């Protein structure tokens, strides 16, 4: 007999007994791809927001313009995404009031890392990729894990289809696992970056149910941010 | 006014019903360089004379942006001004974060007035020694508010504070009726001319006038509670895309900080 005076049910699910299990996290799906070039950075994210087999929205942008030179792409738990980008926005505004200038991309990258690690023991369930132009005018991409580990890279894919997209980028942008002469290695132009990003998304939409509907592409240069969209499979 | 036995702290009334410490705080405002604020139908403009120290040659920043839709210019103790400005910025940012909207200006200055009032009624605090002209633009249109160490908040069509500001106020009074019909450039000219009246004989040949112009965000009325219409970043993204809570993230870009020089002729550098 238990202390409580009645028969206790076992921990595993038994018929008739509702097993309460609250998870604070939910995956709302979506994928991001970011590619950095000599004087540009391209970041693309799909626009589908889902929950299990249900779709919340087909037109939800996952790209957040933090400054004219920096864009953050965020997928995972949408509530955490909103909370994180909201607090980043406030911190960046504080910085501007104090320092009378916009935060550099590198500074934003570091601050985001710190902000995420501050929640080490109840993490933001978010897959972040930050793309922008650094102080010297070169394109730069930073990728994050849920607790803020930050890594600078030339190209990166994240989100639910991240593992599908990353090898494609490795091959097409990084020229990995190919027998190529140096002369054949195509220099990365803005158009090529955009077309590789677009193509990888089309492939991802084929296989990943959480990715699809359309892609929003931000092309960041020192002159500003150009926006393009691309339609994807809606199934 | 002379020293007397009722002016030791803020919590002592004089027999005539005056709080001398608060009045002394007002004196601090009168020592500051002049600043002028005025509004038209679509714009609110602030102009301030900046004193430069000839040794260091740096400008005293008198106009402080608070949020995308609010700015203020100060006269008096700069250190106190910074603290007040920081308070207002925090309030605006918190409001924006919580409600995804601009803090209505009259509420912001009302809160500020309440905050200033507590300093006039506590034995362990002193009044803030700074007078402010708060310029803002919200759904009710452009605003100019005068906030003083006495915690008085006045809604103004035009106002000037600081040393020798009476001539600026006279100019504003004379020209006030025409402000409604002025466009932005004319308003700016009025502001400059108003503040010119406050130049003293000891001001420099080449003076810098700091200006702040609060502009209309969007000529269209806010449509269907679509916050993008109010976002002055004006992203070129497709309208169908829901960008989530003000993903326009950032800097108060529409504040035009113009500096003009006015020459007063033939006097020593300040």
């Amino acid at each position: 007999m238990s202390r409580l005076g009645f028969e206790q049910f076992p921990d595993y699910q038994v018929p008739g007994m509702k097993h309460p299990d609250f998870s604070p996290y939910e995956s709302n799906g979506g994928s991001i791809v970011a590619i950095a070039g000599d004087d540009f950075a391209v970041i693309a994210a799909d626009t589908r927001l889902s929950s299990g087999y249900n779709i919340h929205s087909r037109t939800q942008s996952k790209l957040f313009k933090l400054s004219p030179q920096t864009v953050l792409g965020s997928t995972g738990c949408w509530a955490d995404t909103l909370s994180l980008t909201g607090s980043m926005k406030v911190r960046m505004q504080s910085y501007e009031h104090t320092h009378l200038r916009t935060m550099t991309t590198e500074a934003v990258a570091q601050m985001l890392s710190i902000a995420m690690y501050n929640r080490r023991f109840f993490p933001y369930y978010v897959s972040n990729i930050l793309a922008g132009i650094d102080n010297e005018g070169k394109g730069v991409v930073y990728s994050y894990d849920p607790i803020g580990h930050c890594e600078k890279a030339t190209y990166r894919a994240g989100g639910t289809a991240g593992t599908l997209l990353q090898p494609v980028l490795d091959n097409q942008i990084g020229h990995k696992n190919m027998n190529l002469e140096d002369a054949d290695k195509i220099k990365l132009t803005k158009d090529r970056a955009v077309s590789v990003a677009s193509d990888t998304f089309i492939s991802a939409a084929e296989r990943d149910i959480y990715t699809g509907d359309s892609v929003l592409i931000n092309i960041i240069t020192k002159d500003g941010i150009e926006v393009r969209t691309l339609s994807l499979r809606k199934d | 006014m002379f020293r007397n036995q009722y002016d030791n702290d803020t919590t002592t009334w004089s027999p005539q019903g005056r709080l001398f410490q608060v009045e002394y705080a007002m004196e601090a405002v009168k020592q500051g360089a002049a600043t002028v604020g005025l509004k038209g139908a679509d714009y609110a403009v602030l102009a301030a004379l900046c004193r430069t120290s000839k040794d260091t040659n740096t400008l005293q920043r008198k106009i402080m942006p608070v949020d995308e839709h609010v700015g203020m210019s100060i006269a008096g103790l700069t250190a106190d001004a910074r603290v007040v400005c920081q308070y207002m910025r925090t309030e605006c940012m918190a409001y924006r974060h919580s409600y995804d909207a601009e803090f209505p200006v009259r509420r912001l200055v009302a809160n500020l007035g309440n905050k200033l009032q507590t300093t006039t009624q506590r034995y362990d605090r002193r009044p803030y020694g700074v007078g402010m002209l708060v310029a803002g633009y919200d759904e009710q249109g452009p605003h100019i508010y005068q906030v003083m160490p006495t915690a008085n908040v006045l809604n103004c069509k035009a106002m000037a504070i600081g040393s020798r500001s009476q001539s600026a106020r006279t100019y504003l009074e004379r020209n006030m009726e025409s402000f409604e019909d002025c466009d932005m450039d004319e308003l700016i000219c009025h502001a400059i001319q108003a503040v010119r009246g406050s130049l003293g004989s000891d001001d420099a040949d080449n003076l810098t006038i700091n200006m702040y112009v609060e502009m209309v965000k969007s000529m269209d009325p806010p449509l269907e509670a679509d916050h993008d219409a109010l976002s002055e970043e004006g992203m070129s993204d497709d309208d169908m895309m829901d960008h989530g809570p003000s993903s326009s993230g950032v800097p108060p870009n529409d504040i035009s900080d113009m500096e003009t020089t006015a020459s007063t002729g033939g006097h020593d550098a300040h």
Side-chain angles (χ1 to χ4, degrees), chain B residues 4-244:
Chain B
N4 52 67
Q5 50 187 185
Y6 307 110
D7 68 355
N8 271 329
D9 59 48
T10 255
T11 54
T12 306
W13 288 98
S14 82
Q16 287 79 35
R18 294 160 72 173
L19 288 172
F20 279 103
Q21 279 296 304
V22 178
E23 294 188 20
Y24 294 164
M26 293 287 283
E27 289 295 315
V29 178
K30 291 180 198 160
Q31 301 295 330
T35 170
V36 150
L38 50 94
K39 69 177 182 186
D42 300 319
Y43 300 93
V45 180
L46 291 174
L49 280 180
C50 290
R51 286 220 185 100
T52 64
S53 156
K54 64 176 172 214
D55 301 286
T56 59
N57 210 41
T58 55
L59 282 179
Q60 186 68 280
R61 289 195 84 88
K62 281 176 69 75
I63 300 187
M64 305 171 174
V66 168
D67 196 358
E68 291 166 14
H69 67 302
V70 181
M72 66 180 212
S73 81
I74 55 130
L77 265 51
T78 330
D80 283 5
R82 272 206 312 271
V83 165
V84 171
C85 185
Q86 187 54 39
Y87 164 79
M88 289 173 76
R89 283 173 178 168
T90 310
E91 292 287 292
C92 285
M93 278 198 292
Y95 191 93
R96 220 178 249 283
H97 188 242
S98 302
Y99 305 108
D100 194 20
E102 297 175 334
F103 208 144
V105 184
R106 71 172 186 285
R107 261 195 261 163
L108 177 65
V109 295
N111 286 358
L112 178 61
N114 288 337
K115 184 179 154 70
L116 295 189
Q117 192 280 336
T118 56
T119 64
T120 67
Q121 211 174 3
R122 291 184 62 110
Y123 71 91
D124 57 347
R125 307 227 10 223
R126 61 160 176 82
Y128 287 101
V130 60
M132 291 152 276
L133 292 176
V134 179
Y137 191 96
D138 59 24
E139 285 173 1
Q140 274 76 36
H143 303 277
I144 297 277
Y145 285 96
Q146 180 200 29
V147 185
M148 292 306 240
T150 50
N152 278 332
V153 175
L154 278 178
N155 190 1
C156 309
K157 288 184 192 160
M159 179 52 77
I161 57 173
S163 72
R164 294 181 285 268
S165 55
Q166 184 52 54
S167 46
R169 276 197 293 276
T170 315
Y171 175 91
L172 291 173
E173 248 180 292
R174 264 192 240 123
N175 293 280
M176 219 169 64
E177 306 306 320
S178 66
F179 291 163
E180 275 292 304
D181 308 312
C182 286
D183 64 15
M184 185 178 85
D185 293 323
E186 284 164 1
L187 277 180
I188 294 173
C189 285
H190 277 303
I192 297 176
Q193 281 173 294
V195 90
R196 271 204 76 200
S198 307
L199 289 173
S201 58
D202 54 345
D203 281 321
D205 289 351
N206 288 322
L207 202 65
T208 301
I209 300 175
N210 248 173
M211 298 217 57
Y212 171 89
V213 183
E214 191 67 60
M215 293 201 248
V216 179
K217 294 308 152 45
S218 159
M219 291 310 287
D220 306 314
L223 24 112
E224 314 127 40
D226 175 2
H227 60 256
D228 278 351
L230 301 173
S231 151
E232 108 290 350
E233 287 290 3
M235 296 168 83
S236 53
D237 297 348
D238 291 347
D239 287 330
M240 71 162 189
M241 294 298 183
D242 175 19
H243 294 298

Side-chain angles (χ1 to χ4, degrees), chain A residues 118-135:
Chain A
N118 281 341
R119 287 272 296 256
R120 172 66 177 81
F121 301 110
F122 183 15
Y124 288 107
Y125 180 48
V126 191
S127 167
N128 278 329
I129 299 186
L130 188 79
I133 304 289
D134 70 8
N135 261 346

Side-chain angles (χ1 to χ4, degrees), chain A residues 60 65-66 82 89 93 96 227, chain B residues 93 237 242 246 249-251:
Chain A
Q60 177 60 60
K65 181 181 159 194
L66 297 179
L82 294 179
K89 192 179 122 178
Q93 239 196 331
E96 288 194 12
V227 177
Chain B
M93 278 198 292
D237 297 348
D242 175 19
S246 299
V250 181

